[in-house]
Amino acid sequence: MTSTYGDWLKQQRETAGLTQQQLADMTVMTRSHIAHIEAGRRVPSKEDARRLDKALNTGNVLSSFLPQDDVAIADYFEAVRALEQQAVMIREFALTFFPGILQTKRYAREVLGAAFPPVSEEECDRRVVTRLERAKILEDPLTPVVWALLDETLLRRPVASGGIMAEQIMHVVRLAETGRIRAHVMPFGAGLHPLMGSMLTLMWFEDQPPLAYSEGGHAARLHDSPTVVRKWQHRYDLALSDALPQKESLALLRATAEEYGHHD
């Protein structure tokens, strides 16, 4: 994500002789939220930008030149990955592939190796390592709290060999059985639901507003607007209400793994 907006904000703050904390106090934000905006990791909501303009006496510049949401997936990846490490709660909805933080090494290699245009073995290795690094947040037994809502589509469409699919599915089952995550399956029988058409990650933080990250096709959006984030949260809640309870979800996951050839 470009940091031009954040750089300009920082310049205006320093010209005004304000620290990040002082500006945060003036605009009813947290210091870390200001820091993330300046670093290009967050986009302020329209209301945030209005308060920043007022505090810095910049007219409506920060309100008028908010970065556009419609940016390529790769442009958001670093920002989302950094925020993922700071989240205290993450709720995932996965439609096509298992969420990155839940992927096994072999599954990740299959998914990342199918990139188009093709990438070299070295580049694929680098991407796999990066994805596995993301999964290390689950090594902490308590934080972040993770909920995974999995559309049945990703269970039934084999994107790798039967053995790899079974291994991936059972990895999720074990994480749920140990209580590290909650896992729910959205069955085909639920029909149309509010999250069809895109994957979604919701994140909550100790000292920052929550955000939503949606991805579909070849575009992604990182949402900071409180109104938009609440909309995605409500959609997630509605979809979750139609999903299978965890006990039934784990039974379906185990049965699907068996169909792929898992016999442990």
Side-chain angles (χ1 to χ4, degrees):
M1 183 189 302
T2 179
S3 62
T4 302
Y5 185 94
D7 289 341
W8 196 83
L9 170 61
K10 180 179 180 180
Q11 182 183 57
Q12 298 306 305
R13 174 179 62 76
E14 292 178 342
T15 299
L18 298 172
T19 66
Q20 289 180 340
Q21 186 60 61
Q22 288 171 328
L23 181 58
D25 292 341
M26 293 171 67
T27 54
V28 197
M29 294 186 225
T30 63
R31 187 208 61 78
S32 60
H33 190 42
I34 297 292
H36 283 303
I37 295 171
E38 289 186 352
R41 292 189 294 266
R42 302 294 293 266
V43 175
S45 67
K46 291 181 179 179
E47 179 58 26
D48 287 344
R50 186 192 66 77
R51 291 199 298 266
L52 287 168
D53 272 327
K54 182 177 180 181
L56 294 170
N57 196 28
T58 50
N60 65 350
V61 175
L62 289 163
S63 301
S64 299
F65 293 96
L66 279 170
Q68 296 299 307
D69 275 342
D70 195 8
V71 180
I73 292 172
D75 294 335
Y76 277 127
F77 181 75
E78 287 303 321
V80 172
R81 191 176 82 178
L83 291 163
E84 202 172 54
Q85 305 300 309
Q86 303 163 27
V88 296
M89 179 181 290
I90 299 175
R91 296 185 183 179
E92 299 269 15
F93 170 67
L95 182 64
T96 307
F97 304 111
F98 282 86
I101 60 173
L102 302 182
Q103 290 182 10
T104 64
K105 182 177 181 178
R106 293 204 299 165
Y107 182 89
R109 175 169 290 281
E110 288 292 321
V111 171
L112 296 170
F116 184 83
V119 297
S120 66
E121 281 293 316
E122 293 78 10
E123 176 61 16
C124 185
D125 288 342
R126 187 187 67 79
R127 294 183 183 185
V128 170
V129 169
T130 298
R131 185 150 297 184
L132 296 179
E133 284 291 321
R134 290 172 58 200
K136 287 185 177 180
I137 61 174
L138 297 178
E139 292 178 1
D140 185 307
L142 299 176
T143 306
V145 175
V146 175
W147 292 9
L149 177 56
L150 310 173
D151 195 282
E152 190 174 353
T153 301
L154 67 83
L155 304 181
R156 302 301 184 185
R157 184 183 299 280
V159 299
S161 69
I164 292 174
M165 291 294 294
E167 177 186 66
Q168 173 63 63
I169 293 169
M170 290 307 298
H171 175 63
V172 172
V173 169
R174 293 185 188 100
L175 286 170
E177 286 177 335
T178 61
R180 184 59 190 85
I181 71 169
R182 288 195 62 83
H184 296 271
V185 175
M186 176 65 74
F188 285 143
L192 187 69
H193 63 80
L195 297 179
M196 288 185 70
S198 65
M199 60 78 67
L200 176 68
T201 300
L202 300 172
M203 289 183 265
W204 285 260
F205 307 88
E206 286 281 4
D207 58 355
Q208 304 172 50
L211 63 78
Y213 171 67
S214 61
E215 185 178 307
H218 299 287
R221 292 185 179 183
L222 184 59
H223 308 278
D224 261 343
S225 163
T227 300
V228 175
V229 172
R230 282 195 297 270
K231 179 187 73 174
W232 282 112
Q233 289 171 345
H234 292 159
R235 287 184 180 182
Y236 191 98
D237 290 343
L238 282 172
L240 185 62
S241 70
D242 288 332
L244 297 176
Q246 177 161 279
K247 183 177 180 181
E248 293 177 30
S249 294
L250 295 185
L252 177 57
L253 288 167
R254 292 190 200 95
T256 307
E258 289 289 340
E259 293 172 10
Y260 279 118
H262 178 79
H263 300 293
D264 289 355

